[in-house]
Amino acid sequence: MTRDTDAPSTDDVLPDGGDTVAEGADDVALDPWGSSTVADYRKLFEEFGIEEFDELLPEIPKPHYLMRRGVIFGHRDYRPVAAAMRNDEPFAVLSGFMPTGDPHIGHKLVFDEIIWHQQRGGDAYGLIADLEAHSARGLTWDEIDEHSRDYLLSLLALGFDPEEGELYRQSDNRELQDLAFELGIEANYSELQAIYGFDGETDVSHMQSVVTQMADILYPQLDEPKPTVIPVGPDQDPHIRLARDLATRMRFFKVTEAYASFEADDAERELLREAWDALSELAADRDGDTTVRCVHAAQYLAHGESAVDFEADRPSVDVPEIEESARASVVKKLQSAGMEPFRPRTRFFDRQATDEAFEALIDAVEGEKRVYEGHVDSFDLAPEAAEELARQVEVDHGGYGFIPPSSIYHRFMTGLTGGKMSSSVPASHISLLDDPEVGYDKVKSATTGGRETAEEQRELGGEADDCPVYELYAYLLANDDDGLATEVYEECVGGERLCGGCKEQAAELMREFLADHQEKREEARELLAELDIDLDSDRA
Ligand code: TRP
Ligand code: SF4
């Protein structure tokens, strides 16, 4: 195994050891139902636009150890969640689990992430993706019932508070399925094909499980829109992107920045902004009329500042022969708008509002405004206030007003036998249900980043960055104790620590953890029984 030394989020003092190169994995494939491996986390930033989590650490009050150690390495749009946490405003956390086998130490990362956000004041949701397990993985309902109980018990044992939070099964949640149905109206087959590689053989229920997951992700916002974080592995990113898109498509109004009555796309808007910055200054220097008109902006964008003629009564502009481009199209639009004033404004575009909602919005816009066929322009409202207003009117008129959901991504754990940690290879992972002695033995026989001989190890130090045992310390066994994680790492790379003793210590900690966790699971049984979750499906 080689370590990608430039891997993001790797801290000098507490490297996370989170290299998860599986043999033969040389590409990033984000497939929610395939065997996702990530050979190079950098590609996730470059190719998929996931952002580095590290940069956010200063904005998070007392970050979780998984954040501090770079195990949580990436995010989409987590800032609003961090801000809500800091300001004691509503936010939510939700994640889901397919009950296909035993919950294992990889799932524990996600359980911990949910619980941590709950303890920070978030509305917390844990769901059992039983529809997905049944349709995409073919599990029977009996199997699903059994595994669901196990996931829920572990989540409760680790500290999820069911009085404050909500646990549900997809199959049991009527509100969720209604939302899924509504969201399905905004997604079509070609899109699912492009995102997930679905084809003519893909069964309809599998597709339905996708819209159900979209509904899961937006479910916390049914009572009111709020920032929501979805902690998942990077394989789930395609779902996150689609959910963010759908959240936007469901909105009544789109708030944009505009400069004249016509519509512009993002590239055109960029040019309009540039023209406004230059022309507003030029006009302000004039003695007489300081009005900037569309035709002036056309002159500016077509031929530059020297072509701008504020004096002419009927200024004209030759549209230059530029091939199809944003500049050519925006110049044409400006030219036909002619003497219309060119001024920045905040536009509320009617995407799919009811007539009443659009009327209500028009009334609610204070200050100077202009009403057009499919939009209303405000000259006094700043974009942020406008967003807020649009959402409020939408919610008051029966819309959802969704805020695009955020996500955080954790690294995949390396298997104890090297390569990928896989539920189907028992020796590669530790189940939360493993007998503590079995857990002890698995750690004792794990692959390490140790050298051939003890002498060599003392001389060169061990390779903690490539060691599944070190990973166990960093991801789980050291818990909140950064001192222990650092000590193991530094003693290892410094050659003071030998694998035999290191594994013995880890194995004992694992045995202790499992014994304690399983005791708490037993205690949680009563709690689970009191909850309103049906774990005996009568479906066959
Ligand atoms: N698809 C997820 C998995 O394979 C499970 C899931 C269903 C989920 N709904 C979700 C995860 C909502 C996060 C949020 O494990
Ligand atoms: Fe891994 Fe510990 Fe050996 Fe270092 S000493 S390589 S951390 S088992």
Side-chain angles (χ1 to χ4, degrees), residues 381-401:
L381 273 175
E384 227 164 84
E387 268 295 345
E388 189 112 330
L389 181 68
R391 181 168 279 118
Q392 194 55 53
V393 171
E394 174 175 344
V395 170
D396 290 346
H397 288 79
Y400 300 106

Side-chain angles (χ1 to χ4, degrees), residues 217-346:
I217 293 174
L218 295 168
Y219 182 72
Q221 299 194 58
L222 278 184
D223 53 344
E224 62 166 338
K226 58 177 92 63
T228 304
V229 59
I230 315 295
V232 276
D235 58 314
Q236 298 291 305
D237 185 55
H239 289 309
I240 300 293
R241 276 179 281 156
L242 178 58
R244 289 174 59 81
D245 271 2
L246 293 180
T248 305
R249 279 181 227 163
M250 297 297 283
R251 296 297 309 276
F252 280 15
F253 307 105
K254 182 178 176 180
V255 177
T256 59
E257 179 190 316
Y259 292 86
S261 60
F262 57 80
E263 281 308 314
D265 64 23
D266 289 344
E268 291 170 340
R269 197 171 299 119
E270 193 71 36
L271 292 165
L272 292 170
R273 189 179 306 130
E274 179 195 320
W276 171 254
D277 289 344
L279 292 169
S280 54
E281 262 185 50
L282 285 181
D285 289 342
R286 301 189 64 219
D287 294 336
D289 183 7
T290 55
T291 311
V292 179
R293 302 191 181 272
C294 286
V295 66
H296 300 138
Q299 290 170 329
Y300 176 83
L301 289 174
H303 304 291
E305 194 173 306
S306 58
V308 178
D309 180 4
F310 283 119
E311 308 305 330
D313 276 349
R314 300 183 135 265
S316 67
V317 53
D318 306 326
V319 180
E321 283 304 315
I322 333 177
E323 76 229 46
E324 266 322 289
S325 66
R327 187 176 296 268
S329 63
V330 80
V331 167
K332 279 187 202 136
K333 288 179 185 178
L334 286 162
Q335 187 193 32
S336 48
M339 294 301 279
E340 181 189 324
F342 183 73
R343 284 170 76 183
R345 64 203 70 192
T346 302

Side-chain angles (χ1 to χ4, degrees), residues 347-363:
R347 171 158 305 159
F348 297 87
F349 188 78
D350 180 357
R351 191 190 258 121
Q352 50 171 331
T354 54
D355 291 346
E356 298 91 277
F358 189 46
E359 286 305 319
L361 177 76
I362 293 168
D363 283 347

